[in-house]
Amino acid sequence: QLAEARGENLVRNGDFSRGGDHWLFKTDTSRPWEIGSLWFAMLFELGWVGLLAFNLLVGFVAAQLIRAALRGERLAAVVLASLVGFLGVGLNKGLLDAPRLTSLFFFLVLYGALLAGRNSPASPEPAH
């Protein structure tokens, strides 16, 4: 109980008679709340359809980057290595919990898609 000068209790549901109402449970470490894998986190948050869409997107961009890297584009190889590194760490860590990492990852995927599509054989050569 936390009472003010008049004796009125300032803590609502201080005896927990209404369960967890008016209480915010917190921990100093995020370990109890983490999902241990990027793919399990995607499955938990987005379901099977979201996981499939994520894998298709990343697989398509990775395939495009592999083709571009085999054509000799060094930047495509760098972006591909970055994606592989991120996904490798994602095997044991749910990396999309942090908004900055999520933004960085999807910007990297977008950049990889744009980079691979820029000089693909199907696109016309720029005029000089």
Side-chain angles (χ1 to χ4, degrees):
Q1 174 173 328
L2 177 63
E4 63 179 353
R6 295 181 302 192
E8 184 178 338
N9 187 4
L10 298 175
V11 178
R12 291 189 198 168
N13 193 21
D15 60 356
F16 294 99
S17 61
R18 290 177 303 215
D21 290 354
H22 303 289
W23 287 94
L24 173 66
F25 294 99
K26 176 192 167 315
T27 179
D28 291 332
T29 173
S30 63
R31 294 294 302 164
W33 307 108
E34 285 183 9
I35 296 177
S37 167
L38 172 66
W39 284 273
F40 284 133
M42 295 295 284
L43 177 62
F44 180 77
E45 293 176 9
L46 301 176
W48 288 105
V49 174
L51 180 63
L52 178 65
F54 176 77
N55 286 331
L56 287 174
L57 173 68
V58 172
F60 175 75
V61 171
Q64 296 299 318
L65 287 170
I66 289 170
R67 285 190 200 113
L70 291 175
R71 285 193 311 265
E73 292 188 44
R74 292 181 184 164
L75 189 55
V78 171
V79 173
L80 179 63
S82 300
L83 284 176
V84 169
F86 188 93
L87 296 173
V89 172
L91 290 173
N92 295 317
K93 183 95 171 121
L95 295 172
L96 298 182
D97 293 337
R100 290 180 185 156
L101 284 178
T102 303
S103 297
L104 179 65
F105 176 73
F106 283 110
F107 282 135
L108 190 63
V109 169
L110 177 64
Y111 183 70
L114 293 174
L115 176 71
R118 181 183 65 178
N119 292 324
S120 67
S123 66
E125 290 294 319
H128 294 284

